[in-house]
Amino acid sequence: MMRNFGKVAVLFGGKSGEREVSLKSGSAVLAALQRQGVDAHAFDPATRPLHDLEGFDRAMISLHGRFGEDGAMQGALELLGIPYTGSGVMASAIGMDKWRTKMIWSAAGISTPAFELVKADSDFAAIEKRLGLPLFVKPANEGSSIGISKVKQAGGLQAAYELAAKSDPLVIAEQFVGGGEYTVGILGDKALPIVRIVPKNEFYDFEAKYLRDDTEYLCPCGLSAEKEAQIQQEALQAFNAIGCRGWGRVDFLMDEAGRHYFLEVNTSPGMTDHSLVPMAAKASGIGFDELVIRILELAHVA
């Protein structure tokens, strides 16, 4: 029996640097919807014109990165009048931009690691001195750890900048926080159980996220119940400060003294077999198929 969502387009693939990850996410989502009796159809905007979406009643966005997670697709769907999953145009655009996200969080009093914008003519040595070593360098508008590197020795910032700038002209350097990597999934107005990520690589890079089988994911995460509840509440505040809605993920770091710092927000998180939101949902008793349906139920158009 068809679930009453009408004809649903599952948008995945796309033309960003995260296309392969999106193909995995979208395939899993499409299969889950079809198992639940939803009239769901694959739609790859890299191979089909957007006007082919006319006639669909709802869109499930499983795109990652540019042209899918950055507000562009959200704007197109609003022009077409098609309800879609996840955050709206503004929040998607801001969430994709790590620099502007961190500026908003800083202005709102939400803790985030110290950061600086890096340009080709920056004083690299001065930035290294201000932020300290090691530090991270990353493209502001990429996901899946594409273009990220860790600078451990003095004089290494310029090469790291040049690598990141291949992915995006906007590059940030960020203070190293070394007490652990964590994430908080958001579903509706609730924060899911926190997941701790323990990579075997030096940090949680593309390989650790998608290719290795030895990355550890701990849920329960090992924090006290009181600390976890505090961070979940603050993660919702960080999510809302950007204007996000529907579902998403907020990543944070802990330092050795137990202080937490919010890192970035993901407005269209992965839904692969390595992905974190399904893992957190499962820990709260929500299976993958139910999670996908709940996300689709939250779809709307501005």
Side-chain angles (χ1 to χ4, degrees):
M1 187 173 179
M2 293 290 183
R3 298 292 290 261
N4 190 26
F5 295 113
K7 187 178 180 182
V8 176
V10 180
L11 276 61
F12 62 105
K15 54 183 181 178
S16 79
E18 298 180 74
R19 174 178 173 81
E20 294 304 315
V21 179
S22 175
L23 288 170
K24 291 181 181 180
S25 287
S27 296
V29 166
L30 178 64
L33 291 174
Q34 291 175 340
R35 283 194 298 268
Q36 296 293 301
V38 176
D39 182 20
H41 303 263
F43 192 102
D44 185 348
T47 62
R48 296 179 65 180
L50 292 183
H51 63 72
D52 280 359
L53 286 168
E54 294 176 4
F56 282 95
D57 300 296
R58 198 171 287 220
M60 180 90 180
I61 298 177
S62 293
L63 296 162
H64 307 315
R66 292 172 180 164
F67 312 112
E69 195 173 354
D70 62 355
M73 182 59 67
Q74 289 76 8
L77 290 166
E78 291 194 7
L79 286 170
L80 291 168
I82 300 172
Y84 59 89
T85 55
S87 293
V89 175
M90 181 191 72
S92 297
I94 295 172
M96 190 69 202
D97 187 326
K98 298 177 182 66
W99 181 50
R100 288 175 172 84
T101 292
K102 289 164 74 69
M103 287 197 296
I104 289 172
W105 283 349
S106 296
I110 296 167
S111 60
T112 187
F115 63 98
E116 291 196 30
L117 193 63
V118 187
K119 301 178 181 179
D121 60 354
S122 291
D123 185 335
F124 298 107
I127 293 174
E128 289 177 354
K129 185 174 181 180
R130 286 193 294 269
L131 293 180
L133 294 175
L135 57 80
F136 280 101
V137 179
K138 54 186 72 174
N141 290 281
E142 280 290 359
S144 293
S145 299
I146 292 172
I148 292 182
S149 55
K150 185 177 181 181
V151 177
K152 295 182 285 186
Q153 296 182 335
L157 177 57
Q158 183 170 355
Y161 161 77
E162 290 169 355
L163 174 65
K166 292 178 181 178
S167 299
D168 183 27
L170 197 64
V171 174
I172 59 171
E174 185 176 73
Q175 181 185 42
F176 174 73
V177 177
E181 301 180 54
Y182 300 78
T183 193
V184 186
I186 308 292
L187 183 60
D189 59 357
K190 304 292 184 183
L192 297 172
I194 293 174
V195 178
R196 182 173 184 181
I197 304 148
V198 185
K200 301 307 179 185
N201 290 11
E202 193 161 7
F203 64 96
Y204 193 44
D205 60 7
F206 186 93
E207 181 183 354
K209 287 180 178 179
Y210 303 114
L211 304 177
R212 296 179 66 123
D213 292 323
D214 59 355
T215 301
E216 290 185 69
Y217 302 98
L218 306 179
C219 189
C221 65
L223 300 174
S224 69
E226 181 181 13
K227 182 69 171 178
E228 180 163 7
Q230 176 198 350
I231 294 174
Q232 286 174 312
Q233 184 59 39
E234 291 183 16
L236 283 168
Q237 293 170 1
F239 192 71
N240 293 331
I242 305 302
C244 297
R245 70 185 187 210
W247 77 298
R249 208 184 76 222
V250 182
D251 300 338
F252 70 95
L253 302 171
M254 297 281 287
D255 69 11
E256 290 81 353
R259 295 181 293 255
H260 57 280
Y261 301 84
F262 291 103
L263 195 59
E264 62 182 273
V265 62
N266 293 270
T267 57
S268 182
M271 292 287 278
T272 72
D273 55 359
H274 279 61
S275 295
L276 297 163
V277 173
M279 197 178 303
K282 183 178 180 181
S284 63
I286 303 170
F288 187 85
D289 287 12
E290 182 185 350
L291 172 64
V292 172
I293 290 293
R294 288 201 189 185
I295 292 169
L296 187 59
E297 286 174 338
L298 294 167
H300 71 289
V301 67

